[in-house]
């Protein structure tokens, strides 16, 4: 076995994996060492990444090439540094306002156009019971669409907590709302169960991958 | 003995008592109203009797009182007449109450200092009241006296008050008793009567002084001809300090009104005030022995000299300073002496506080409720307690037992927590060993899958079809949006897809919005390239690196890919002399493949980039935990296909006809899932049994 970089990193990966597995016996120093190494490496890697992937290609290089437009983000970035000083922190509000405003506008616009409207359109299109390929009405599509519709409505109704209050009586939802909310509980439970199953399978897959890595590495050491 | 309840404090009092013993409230208000009098005059009279000026009148005041059915002043006149004619005057049991209410208002408007304090004037000093206003009536009075008096009688001195000290009355004296002047002048013109006796010039009460007359200034003027009005308008002279000189007494001529005939019987040689309004005795036996009014009266006297020291005030009350210094202080009854506070305490408990409390406190209107002496009896200094706790030996034994019980409970709690922690560690170790054992066993034995997947999900099929139909001339953009946590799952899930791309020599450009995504993907694609020697990484792959800005960066990438990512990780131009040289916009890619374990990241790509992609398909390789959230986007057509988790990767490999990592580890995956299902079921049953209370246990708990 030659001692190359891949072997070294493989050994380091094996050791750190075993450190993480030591959490099985509770919180211990090995687990904390592995976590500290992960955090430190991530921070260092992020710093280098910002230098090489953000500052140099998007600020230094354009300045060298003579582009003055980058002075605007440079100025705004400088204002952000004033947040470190309590006296000058108000100057950084300009940059923060720009960032928050632009981010919120993009996020809201994307959510409306990319999720809300398209999902409504998708729900409506699910009732396209005749796609032109078959004659008559496809009963399966009808049932499936109705099931989706009931699931969607009942789930939304379940999260409707508003109700009218009468004189001298506590606020109560109408029987129809209560019925749909009761149905919505089943859809929510099924959804959460599916998510939990996905999480479980994901973690099982990650565990299998790590154990396979350990077995492969150890078997590689011993030929 | 009959008792009645106080209408204010609802305590029992004697029936004959006029005021409540506790709160000094009036017990018989109806009786008082029927009498037409009020006992507030008790204090007022007593105040006047204690003033120096009234003390002179008090000496000559009689004790006769009139009945209730006639006006007070008229009744007294009649009584006086009967007394002079040898008849016995009738005793008025309610003599103290035969006073008018208007007098209270007149006196009450004045401050205690103004109304009750009479300062002795200096000798040869004119009276402080305006003598100019009184000059006319004095002139009339003097002329009337000259006409009515006999020549041998010496006239009254013109300024009798200049020769002896006069009390000063600080009250307003702007008005004159016109009715009295008219009455006097009219009587003098009708029939002047010779005085039977020379007036006593030495007596201050014999001559009317402006101060005395000024006491009428606040009373309402009423016509004298009408008897009822006169009844309301003429105050008792002893109460206001008015006296008429003896020489000015007139006798009425006949025919005259009945009430005026009473004046004809007046003795000119005697004090007119004493004859008209004889002053009752100082100590009335009818007066309630413990009247709070009396207590408040002497307190008010004490208030009248606020500048003086408390000791002096007490002395002044006991021995009033007047012109007649020969009067010795009266000997108070024993019960009154018992009620009066000590001299040493009077300086502490000021009477002002008591008065203010009666006027401002919720007890306003109920006079005499809060008294200084009573308050001093009820309130004492707060008791101070020691810092140390004194306990008895028995209490100490109980405390020791309690400490033992608490210590045992704490020890049991600690033992319970420790046992639970140990059992939890043991349970985790057992479950982990079971999982690890099953995984190691299946990996080492390379057992085949328990159940081979034969039906593939539609998204995986769509993904396979799209990958198979990609144009090899166009590059594929791969977004490696994952961290190292679920890198193993995503690597296995995307391995067959990447191998499919490499097999078709499709150029790959990859980037990441996470810090380690592009690096991890580079390691993955490097490992896969070793298996596919025909695929050159340098010629067909391009690492665009880290995309900053999150959603903003994605929006920028969708609008201007070249401007957003101009350089590669090697700081070389990304869009010239590379597989991307013919790519101008995002829709020029043959496909965009997002590899992520986070559903939100996939949603960001769908929301920000998908609208700019046109007909370019968007494929997603996602973790199994986020697949349910991605399904709606697939149903709506925003995602053209996706591979979810280990099962999705295995399905794709099966369709592609290759045996990758997913297939080789699918048996371990299935075995572990079965084991987990069994563990969850067994654990749930055990938890259900343990949490269900048994009948015996419930009986013990109830007992």
């Amino acid at each position: 076995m030659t001692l190359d970089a891949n072997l070294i990193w493989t050994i380091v990966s094996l050791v750190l994996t075993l450190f993480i597995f030591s959490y099985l016996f509770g919180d211990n120093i090995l687990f904390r060492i592995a976590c500290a190494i992960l955090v430190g490496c991530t921070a260092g890697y992020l710093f280098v990444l910002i230098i090489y992937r953000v500052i140099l290609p998007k600020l230094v290089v354009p300045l060298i090439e003579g582009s003055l437009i980058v002075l605007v983000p440079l100025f705004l970035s400088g204002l952000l540094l004033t947040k470190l000083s309590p006296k000058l922190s108000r100057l950084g509000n300009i940059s923060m306002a720009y960032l928050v405003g632009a981010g919120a506008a993009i996020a809201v616009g994307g959510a409306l156009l990319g999720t809300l409207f398209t999902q409504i359109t998708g729900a409506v299109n699910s009732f396209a019971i005749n796609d032109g390929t078959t004659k008559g009405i496809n009963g399966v599509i009808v049932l499936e669409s109705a099931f989706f519709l009931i699931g969607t409505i009942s789930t939304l109704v379940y999260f409707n907590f508003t109700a009218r209050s009468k004189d001298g009586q506590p606020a109560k939802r109408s029987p129809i709302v209560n019925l749909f909310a009761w149905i919505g509980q089943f859809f929510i439970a099924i959804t959460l169960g599916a998510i939990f199953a996905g999480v479980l399978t994901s973690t099982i897959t990650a565990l299998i991958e790590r154990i396979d890595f350990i077995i492969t590495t150890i078997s590689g050491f011993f030929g | 003995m009959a008792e009645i309840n106080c209408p204010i404090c609802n305590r029992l009092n004697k029936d004959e008592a006029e005021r409540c013993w506790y709160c000094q409230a009036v017990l018989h208000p109806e009786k008082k109203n029927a009498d037409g009098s009020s006992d507030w005059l008790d204090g007022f009279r007593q105040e006047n009797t204690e003033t120096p000026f009234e003390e002179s009148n008090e000496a000559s005041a009689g004790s006769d009182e009139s009945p209730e059915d006639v006006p007070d002043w008229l009744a007294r006149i009649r009584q006086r007449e009967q007394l002079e004619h040898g008849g016995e005057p009738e005793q008025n049991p309610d003599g103290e109450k035969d006073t008018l209410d208007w007098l209270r208002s007149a006196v009450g408007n004045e401050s205690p200092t103004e109304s009750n304090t009479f300062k002795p004037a200096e000798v040869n000093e004119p009276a402080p009241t305006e003598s100019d206003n009184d000059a006319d009536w004095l002139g009339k009075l003097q002329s009337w006296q000259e006409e009515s008096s006999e020549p041998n009688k010496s006239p009254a001195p013109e300024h009798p008050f200049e020769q002896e000290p006069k009390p000063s009355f600080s009250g307003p004296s702007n008005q004159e008793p016109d009715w009295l002047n008219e009455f006097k002048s009219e009587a003098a013109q009708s029939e002047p009567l010779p005085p039977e006796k020379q007036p006593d010039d030495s007596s201050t009460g014999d001559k009317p002084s402006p101060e005395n007359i000024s006491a009428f200034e606040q009373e309402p003027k009423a016509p004298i001809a009408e008897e009822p009005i006169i009844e309301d308008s003429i105050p008792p002279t002893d109460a206001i300090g008015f006296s008429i000189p003896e020489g000015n007494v007139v006798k009425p001529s006949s025919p005259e009104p009945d009430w005026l005939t009473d004046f004809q019987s007046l003795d000119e040689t005697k004090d007119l005030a004493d004859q008209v309004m004889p002053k009752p005795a100082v100590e009335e036996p009818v007066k309630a022995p413990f009247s709070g009014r009396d207590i408040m009266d002497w307190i008010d006297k004490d208030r009248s000299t606020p500048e003086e020291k408390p000791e002096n005030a007490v002395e002044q009350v006991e021995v009033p300073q007047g012109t007649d210094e020969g009067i010795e202080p009266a000997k108070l009854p024993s019960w009154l002496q018992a009620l009066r506070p000590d001299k040493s305490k009077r300086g502490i408990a000021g009477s002002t506080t008591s008065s203010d409390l009666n006027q401002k406190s919720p007890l306003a209107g109920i006079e005499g409720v809060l008294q200084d002496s009573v308050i001093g009896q009820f309130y004492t200094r707060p008791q101070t307690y020691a810092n140390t706790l004194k306990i008895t030996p028995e209490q100490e034994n109980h405390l020791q037992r309690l400490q033992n019980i608490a210590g045992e409970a704490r020890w049991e709690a600690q033992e319970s927590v420790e046992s639970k922690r140990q059992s939890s560690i043991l349970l985790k170790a057992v479950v982990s060993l079971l999982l690890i054992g099953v995984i190691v066993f299946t990996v080492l034995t390379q057992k085949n899958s328990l159940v081979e997947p034969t039906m593939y999900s539609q998204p995986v099929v769509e993904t396979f079809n799209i990958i198979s139909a990609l144009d090899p001339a166009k590059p594929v953009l791969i977004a490696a949006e994952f961290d190292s946590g679920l890198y193993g799952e995503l690597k296995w899930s995307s391995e067959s897809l990447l191998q499919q791309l490499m097999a078709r020599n499709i150029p790959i450009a990859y980037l990441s919005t996470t810090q380690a995504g592009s690096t991890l993907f580079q390691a993955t694609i490097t490992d896969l390239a070793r298996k596919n020697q025909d695929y050159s990484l340098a010629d067909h792959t391009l690492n665009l690196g880290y995309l900053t800005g999150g959603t903003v960066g994605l929006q920028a990438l969708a609008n201007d890919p070249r401007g957003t990512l101009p350089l590669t990780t090697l700081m070389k131009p990304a869009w010239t002399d590379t597989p991307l040289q013919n790519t101008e916009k995002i829709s020029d890619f043959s496909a965009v493949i997002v590899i992520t374990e986070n559903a939100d990241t996939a949603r960001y790509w769908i929301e920000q980039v998908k609208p700019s992609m046109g007909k370019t398909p968007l494929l997603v390789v996602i973790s199994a935990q986020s697949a349910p959230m991605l399904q709606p986007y697939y149903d709506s057509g925003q995602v053209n296909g996706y591979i979810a988790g280990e099962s999705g990767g295995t399905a794709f490999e099966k369709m592609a006809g290759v045996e990758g990592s997913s297939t080789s580890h699918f048996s371990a995956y299935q075995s572990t899932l079965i084991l987990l299902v069994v563990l969850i079921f067994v654990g749930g049953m055990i938890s259900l049994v343990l949490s269900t209370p048994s009948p015996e246990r419930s009986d013990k708990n109830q007992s």
Side-chain angles (χ1 to χ4, degrees):
Chain A
M1 178 183 291
T2 58
L3 189 62
D4 55 357
N6 290 331
L7 180 60
I8 294 175
W9 288 119
T10 301
I11 295 173
V12 170
S13 300
L14 175 64
V15 172
L16 292 177
T17 302
L18 293 177
F19 283 1
I20 295 297
F21 278 164
S22 67
Y23 189 73
L24 180 65
F25 306 101
D27 192 8
N28 56 80
I29 189 172
L30 299 178
F31 175 76
R32 293 188 179 186
I33 287 173
C35 291
I37 290 173
L38 175 64
V39 172
C41 291
T42 303
Y45 175 75
L46 182 61
F47 177 77
V48 174
L49 185 68
I50 293 296
I51 293 293
Y52 282 94
R53 296 300 304 165
V54 179
I55 294 178
L56 286 180
K58 296 187 177 180
L59 181 64
V60 177
V61 173
L63 277 177
I64 294 174
E65 294 178 350
S67 176
L68 298 179
I69 193 65
V70 294
L71 291 177
V72 175
L74 178 63
F75 175 72
L76 294 176
S77 301
L79 292 179
L80 273 180
L81 293 177
T82 58
K83 283 289 184 183
L84 298 175
S85 174
K87 295 180 180 179
L88 304 175
S89 62
R90 298 182 63 182
L91 297 175
N93 293 338
I94 300 173
S95 303
M96 290 299 298
Y98 175 76
L99 291 175
V100 173
I106 291 175
V108 170
L112 289 175
L113 299 176
T115 298
L116 187 60
F117 294 160
T118 53
Q119 289 300 311
I120 292 174
T121 304
V124 172
N125 292 333
S126 64
F127 283 91
I129 54 179
N130 190 355
D131 53 356
T133 58
T134 58
K135 294 181 179 180
I137 298 175
N138 192 343
V140 178
I141 295 177
V142 170
L143 292 176
E144 186 180 19
S145 300
F147 186 77
F148 287 161
L149 180 63
I150 292 173
T152 302
I153 293 176
S154 60
T155 303
L156 293 175
V157 168
Y158 177 80
F159 290 102
N160 179 22
F161 298 107
T162 58
R164 288 185 179 180
S165 61
K166 297 181 180 178
D167 296 337
Q169 295 180 355
K172 287 184 178 179
R173 297 192 293 188
S174 63
I176 298 176
V177 174
N178 284 329
L179 176 62
F180 275 93
W182 182 75
I183 296 173
Q185 295 179 16
F186 294 95
F187 286 94
I188 294 172
I190 292 170
T191 304
L192 294 178
I195 293 173
F196 174 74
V199 173
L200 194 63
T201 56
S202 298
T203 53
I204 287 296
T205 305
L207 177 64
I208 293 171
E209 191 271 338
R210 280 295 92 186
I211 291 176
D212 180 71
F213 167 76
I214 293 172
I215 292 173
T216 304
T217 304
I218 293 176
S219 63
F221 288 155
F222 295 99
Chain B
M1 181 177 292
E3 295 181 343
I4 60 173
N5 290 330
C6 175
I8 302 301
C9 64
N10 201 21
R11 293 185 177 180
L12 291 177
N13 290 273
K14 294 181 179 179
D15 191 13
E16 61 269 19
E18 298 179 354
R19 290 179 174 273
C20 177
W21 173 266
Y22 305 97
C23 65
Q24 300 301 324
V26 178
L27 296 176
H28 303 285
E30 66 283 354
K31 180 180 178 181
K32 288 183 156 309
N33 295 330
D35 295 342
S37 61
S38 59
D39 55 353
W40 57 267
L41 195 58
D42 300 344
F44 186 76
R45 284 179 173 173
Q46 188 173 357
E47 293 169 1
N48 291 334
T49 55
E50 293 178 1
T51 57
F53 181 77
E54 293 299 328
E55 283 176 354
S56 61
N57 296 332
E58 184 181 354
S60 60
S63 61
D64 295 341
E65 296 179 5
S66 61
E68 297 178 359
D69 54 353
V70 296
D72 300 339
W73 58 275
L74 186 57
R76 291 191 180 101
I77 291 174
R78 290 174 177 174
Q79 290 174 3
R80 191 64 180 172
E81 183 181 6
Q82 293 175 0
L83 183 63
E84 292 178 353
H85 287 78
E88 290 297 329
E90 296 179 357
Q91 293 293 333
N92 187 5
D94 298 330
E96 295 180 359
K97 302 175 183 177
D98 294 337
T99 320
L100 301 176
D101 294 337
W102 60 268
L103 185 59
R104 179 174 183 174
S105 61
V107 176
N109 292 334
E110 299 175 354
S111 63
T113 305
E114 294 176 350
S115 60
N116 301 329
T117 303
F118 290 87
K119 298 179 181 179
E122 296 180 358
V123 179
N124 299 328
E125 182 179 352
T129 57
E130 48 282 316
S131 58
D132 298 336
N133 298 331
D134 299 338
D136 50 354
W137 72 268
L138 283 175
K140 294 178 181 178
L141 188 63
Q142 190 173 4
S143 61
W144 170 75
Q145 188 178 14
E146 291 174 355
E147 295 177 2
S148 60
S149 301
E150 295 181 355
N152 57 353
K153 301 288 182 178
S154 61
E158 295 181 1
H159 305 285
F161 304 105
E162 295 179 355
Q163 298 176 1
E164 59 184 18
K166 297 177 293 184
S168 62
F169 186 74
S170 58
S173 58
N174 297 328
Q175 298 177 356
E176 294 179 355
D178 298 334
W179 60 272
L180 187 58
N181 295 331
E182 295 174 356
F183 166 72
K184 290 176 181 178
S185 60
E186 184 181 355
Q189 293 175 359
S190 61
E191 185 179 357
L193 295 176
E196 298 177 355
K197 186 179 178 180
Q198 284 290 341
D200 189 6
D201 296 337
S202 62
S203 176
T204 57
D206 294 340
K207 298 292 183 181
S209 63
E211 293 78 7
N212 296 335
I213 300 301
S214 64
F216 289 93
E217 293 175 354
Q218 294 185 358
E219 66 175 318
K221 295 180 180 180
I224 196 171
E226 298 179 5
E227 184 177 356
I229 301 177
I230 292 174
E231 179 182 358
D232 296 337
S233 60
I234 299 178
T237 55
D238 54 351
I240 60 177
F242 173 74
S243 62
I244 301 175
E246 294 177 354
N248 295 337
V249 176
V250 295
K251 292 182 179 179
S253 61
S254 59
E256 291 176 336
D258 296 336
W259 61 271
L260 193 57
T261 56
D262 295 335
F263 287 97
Q264 297 175 359
S265 62
L266 295 177
D267 189 359
E268 299 177 353
T269 59
K270 296 181 180 180
D271 188 1
L272 181 59
D274 296 339
Q275 297 179 54
V276 174
M277 295 293 290
K279 188 174 182 60
V282 175
E283 296 181 2
E284 291 293 335
V286 188
K287 184 185 295 183
F290 296 103
S291 176
R293 171 73 61 184
D294 298 337
I295 299 174
M296 296 305 297
D297 293 336
W298 64 262
I299 292 176
D300 291 338
K301 292 183 180 65
D302 193 16
R303 285 174 48 193
S304 62
T305 55
E307 295 81 10
E308 297 178 4
K309 295 182 179 178
E311 292 294 336
N312 299 333
V314 173
E315 294 299 333
Q316 186 180 5
V317 171
E318 293 178 351
V319 184
Q321 298 176 359
T323 56
D324 193 358
E325 295 181 356
I327 299 175
E328 295 181 353
K331 185 178 181 181
L332 299 177
S334 58
W335 58 269
L336 184 56
Q337 290 285 2
L339 282 177
R340 301 185 67 178
D342 296 338
K343 295 179 180 179
S344 59
K345 295 181 178 178
R346 295 187 65 180
I348 300 174
S351 60
T352 305
T353 304
S354 176
S355 177
D356 293 343
L357 286 174
N358 290 335
Q359 295 176 1
K360 299 176 180 177
S361 65
L363 297 175
I366 306 175
E367 297 180 3
V369 175
L370 298 179
Q371 301 175 6
D372 299 313
S373 58
V374 179
I375 293 175
Q377 293 174 3
F378 285 113
Y379 294 97
T380 58
R381 293 183 60 187
Q383 186 177 0
T384 58
Y385 296 95
N387 295 328
T388 58
L389 180 63
K390 296 178 180 179
I391 58 175
T392 61
E394 184 179 2
Q395 293 175 341
E396 190 173 1
N397 292 332
H398 294 168
L399 178 62
Q400 187 62 33
R401 292 178 184 175
L402 183 60
Q403 288 179 347
N404 295 334
I405 294 172
E408 291 177 357
R410 188 183 305 113
W411 180 81
E412 289 178 355
Q414 291 178 353
E415 187 181 23
S416 177
V417 170
E418 185 67 22
S419 62
K420 286 184 178 179
R421 191 178 69 87
Q422 291 179 355
S423 61
S424 176
I425 292 175
L426 180 62
L427 181 62
K428 286 194 296 184
V430 170
V431 173
S432 300
L433 289 176
L434 283 175
L435 292 174
I436 292 173
V438 171
I439 292 171
V440 170
F441 176 77
T442 53
V443 169
L444 291 178
T445 56
Q446 295 291 329
K447 293 291 184 181
N448 294 327
S449 301
L450 299 176
V451 178
E452 292 289 339
T454 56
M455 295 182 65
Y456 309 123
S457 61
Q458 186 66 26
V460 176
V461 176
E462 292 288 341
T463 303
F464 179 79
N465 294 332
I466 292 172
I467 293 296
S468 301
L470 289 177
D471 186 3
K474 291 184 177 180
V476 173
L477 180 63
I478 296 178
E481 306 282 3
F482 52 85
D483 291 326
S484 57
L486 295 176
Y487 168 69
E489 181 192 14
L490 294 176
K491 185 179 70 174
W492 287 353
S493 300
S494 60
E495 184 179 287
S496 58
L497 184 145
L498 296 176
Q499 287 179 349
Q500 189 76 5
L501 294 176
M502 290 181 178
R504 299 186 60 192
N505 287 323
I506 297 176
I508 297 174
Y510 53 94
L511 56 88
S512 176
T513 58
T514 61
Q515 293 80 17
S518 59
T519 304
L520 292 174
F521 186 79
Q522 186 177 8
T524 302
I525 202 169
T526 302
D527 291 339
L528 293 177
R530 294 173 184 167
K531 298 179 182 178
N532 193 350
Q533 299 295 331
D534 297 335
Y535 190 78
S536 174
L537 291 177
D539 297 335
H540 293 86
T541 61
L542 187 67
N543 187 0
L544 298 176
Y546 174 62
L547 178 64
T548 59
T551 55
V552 179
L554 292 177
Q555 181 71 21
L557 176 68
N559 295 328
D560 185 14
R562 292 196 172 206
T564 304
L565 295 171
L567 300 176
T568 63
T569 54
L570 300 176
M571 302 299 291
K572 294 180 178 178
W575 306 92
T576 56
D577 298 334
T578 60
L580 302 179
Q581 56 186 357
N582 296 326
T583 305
E584 297 292 337
K585 49 189 178 180
I586 197 71
S587 60
D588 292 337
F589 288 98
S590 60
V592 176
I593 302 173
V594 179
I595 304 174
T596 180
E597 83 283 5
N598 193 348
D600 290 335
T601 304
R603 183 168 61 86
Y604 295 152
W605 277 88
I606 295 169
E607 291 176 351
Q608 304 298 333
V609 181
K610 177 60 179 176
S612 303
M613 289 174 60
K615 294 183 179 179
T616 302
L618 176 63
L619 304 175
V620 179
V621 179
I622 195 169
S623 172
Q625 63 183 1
S626 301
M629 277 79 78
L630 191 66
Q631 180 67 32
Y633 294 99
Y634 172 77
D635 294 335
S636 64
Q638 294 175 280
V639 174
N640 300 101
Y642 67 90
I643 300 173
E646 170 75 11
S647 59
T650 302
F652 193 92
E653 290 179 357
K654 292 292 183 182
M655 286 189 293
V658 296
E659 187 173 356
S661 299
S662 295
T663 305
S664 59
H665 298 92
F666 192 72
S667 59
Y669 174 77
Q670 288 180 324
S671 302
T672 308
L673 286 181
I674 291 173
L675 177 62
L676 279 176
V677 169
V678 173
L679 289 176
I680 290 172
F681 180 76
V682 173
M685 294 303 295
I686 293 174
S687 177
L688 181 64
V689 171
L690 293 178
S691 61
T692 303
S694 62
E696 297 177 355
R697 190 180 299 174
S698 60
D699 293 340
K700 290 181 180 179
N701 294 332
Q702 291 178 356
S703 62

